[in-house]
Amino acid sequence: MGFEVGRFEGEVDEELICPICGGVLEEPVQAPQCEHAFCSACIQEWLSRQHTCPVDRNAITSAQLKPVPRILRNLLARLCIACDNAKFGCSVIVKLDALQQHLDECEHNPKRPVHCEQGCGLVIPKDELKDHNCVRDLRALIQQQQTKMSNFQTELADVKRMYTEQKRELQMLKEYMRAIRCSNPNPSPSIRAIEDEIETNEVIRWANSLPISRVTRWGGMISTPDAVLQAVIKRALIDSGSPSHIVNDLMDNAHERRWPPGLATLETRQLNRHTYEQYVTRRIPGKQAVVVMAHDNQHMGEDFNVEPGLVMIFAHGIE
C-alpha cells in the first residue's frame, strides 16, 4: 500500500500516485509494455486475482514486472513526508528516502525498543512499558526458552535416530558387499567402484559430523608425537565414530614423516605458513588436535594434501 498523500508537503505529481490504492508509490514497479507504475504490494495483490494491467487491461504477469526508471525513483526520494509517528507527537518532516532511518531512531515511535529500568534488563516496546511486570515477563521468557530447548532436544533426538538408522543401513550394505567379495575373490570393476563409493561416503559423513575448528597457534604444532600421545588421539578418533578402515591411515599421517611435501620439514613449514593456514580443519572432540581431510581441502593442491587426510596435534591453540 502507498503512502497517504496528505502526509506530504506541497502538491504531489499525479505520476507518483498508485492507480490502485491512490497513495504515493511505495516500492514501485511498472508494467513491461504500458509502463504504468504501481506499489509493489498493490499490483501483486491485484495480479493474484487477474493478470491484467489495472489501467489499460493489457495482459501482464508478476514475472514481467520491472523496476521503475531512476528518474521516477529520484522524484519520489525528494518528496517531503511527515513521520509515521506524527499522531504520537513527532513533528519531523523528512525526505522520503530518509524516512526509514528516521523511524528507526524516532523517540515518538511507540514500538521503539527500550530497556526496562526496574532491574530485569529486558528490552521491550515503548508502548508496552507501562504494563510490563518484571517477574511475569521473565517467567514468560524462561518458559519460551524451555519450550525452544525442548523442541531442539526433540529435533536432535530425531536426527540421532535418523543417523543411527543410516549407519545401520550402511553397515548392512557393507556386510552384503563383503559377502559378495568372499564369494567372488576377484570382483568386477563395477563392484569395486561401489565398494569405494560406499567407503568414501562413510568417510565424508563422519568428517562432516566433526565441528569446523580454527587453529589460533600454529606454533603449538606437535609434528613428532610419541606413541602414548598417538594412542590417546587414536582412541578419540574411534570414539568420534571414525570409519575403522581409515583410523590407522589417519594416525600414520599424524607424524611429519608421512606429511605431504609442503609440511614435510620444519623449514618447509616455516616457508609455507601462510599457505597451510588456509586448511579447513575439523576438531577431534575433546582434544587439542584436528583432522585435515583431503575432501575438505582440494583447494590446497598436492603438496599440502594426503589421502584420506592427516592428523595435526597441538599443545594449545585449537578453537
Side-chain angles (χ1 to χ4, degrees):
M1 299 295 290
F3 301 97
E4 295 179 14
V5 177
R7 292 177 57 189
F8 291 84
E9 283 190 335
E11 187 174 345
V12 179
D13 192 289
E14 184 178 346
E15 295 297 321
L16 305 181
I17 303 296
C18 174
I20 300 176
C21 69
V24 175
L25 292 166
E26 182 176 7
E27 298 181 4
V29 292
Q30 68 179 21
Q33 300 299 328
C34 60
E35 298 187 346
H36 290 122
F38 315 93
C39 301
S40 177
C42 293
I43 190 61
Q44 293 292 354
E45 182 180 354
W46 175 279
L47 294 178
S48 68
R49 299 191 298 271
Q50 51 187 314
H51 292 168
T52 60
C53 171
V55 178
D56 56 23
R57 304 301 176 182
N58 284 330
I60 57 172
T61 64
S62 295
Q64 293 174 317
L65 296 172
K66 58 183 183 180
V68 297
R70 178 182 297 177
I71 187 171
L72 187 58
R73 296 198 301 272
N74 290 342
L75 290 173
L76 285 167
R78 294 183 188 133
L79 294 176
C80 293
I81 186 172
C83 175
D84 294 18
N85 303 314
K87 60 184 177 180
F88 299 110
C90 184
S91 59
V92 172
I93 304 293
V94 296
K95 298 288 187 182
L96 185 57
D97 62 348
L99 178 61
Q100 188 57 56
Q101 180 179 352
H102 167 71
L103 291 175
D104 293 340
E105 303 169 354
C106 181
E107 295 183 358
H108 297 274
N109 181 2
K111 294 299 181 183
R112 183 168 62 91
V114 295
H115 285 273
C116 170
E117 297 180 352
Q118 300 177 37
C120 72
L122 291 177
V123 177
I124 54 181
K126 181 180 177 182
D127 61 349
E128 297 179 15
L129 191 59
K130 61 182 183 301
D131 298 321
H132 169 61
N133 180 290
C134 293
V135 175
R136 181 197 64 207
D137 291 349
L138 280 173
R139 283 177 176 171
L141 180 61
I142 292 172
Q143 182 62 45
Q144 291 174 5
Q145 295 301 320
Q146 289 176 336
T147 301
K148 288 182 180 179
M149 181 61 70
S150 177
N151 293 338
F152 174 76
Q153 289 175 340
T154 300
E155 293 175 2
L156 183 61
D158 291 340
V159 170
K160 287 182 176 179
R161 281 195 295 271
M162 181 179 67
Y163 182 65
T164 300
E165 181 63 22
Q166 288 178 342
K167 287 180 64 177
R168 188 185 67 82
E169 293 176 355
L170 181 61
Q171 186 61 35
M172 290 176 61
L173 184 56
K174 289 174 65 178
E175 291 176 358
Y176 173 69
M177 297 303 298
R178 189 178 298 114
I180 293 177
R181 187 165 57 247
C182 290
S183 63
N184 181 11
N186 298 307
S188 66
S190 61
I191 294 296
R192 286 196 295 270
I194 293 173
E195 291 176 339
D196 291 343
E197 183 177 358
I198 290 173
E199 291 185 348
T200 299
N201 290 339
E202 186 179 11
V203 170
I204 293 175
R205 186 179 296 108
W206 164 72
N208 288 344
S209 72
L210 301 179
I212 295 290
S213 62
R214 186 168 73 93
V215 178
T216 59
R217 297 184 180 180
W218 287 96
M221 183 190 304
I222 301 174
S223 59
T224 56
D226 60 27
V228 174
L229 182 54
Q230 290 191 55
V232 171
I233 301 302
K234 182 176 182 179
R235 170 48 57 187
L237 280 174
I238 295 171
D239 291 344
S240 73
S242 173
S244 58
H245 65 276
I246 67 166
V247 171
N248 288 334
D249 287 339
L250 288 176
M251 289 313 306
D252 286 344
N253 296 341
H255 196 287
E256 67 175 14
R257 62 173 174 266
R258 290 286 297 271
W259 284 358
L263 302 175
T265 66
L266 178 60
E267 290 75 18
T268 57
R269 289 196 292 275
Q270 290 174 338
L271 289 172
N272 296 322
R273 174 71 174 268
H274 293 299
T275 301
Y276 64 71
E277 284 179 349
Q278 300 176 41
Y279 272 137
V280 175
T281 61
R282 296 181 180 272
R283 185 167 188 172
I284 298 175
K287 304 300 177 186
Q288 287 289 309
V290 299
V291 288
V292 180
M293 302 302 295
H295 71 269
D296 279 334
N297 291 281
Q298 296 179 9
H299 60 286
M300 294 296 290
E302 294 182 358
D303 283 349
F304 293 89
N305 251 340
V306 60
E307 291 285 351
L310 58 92
V311 171
M312 303 180 82
I313 306 171
F314 294 81
H316 45 66
I318 303 295
E319 292 182 356

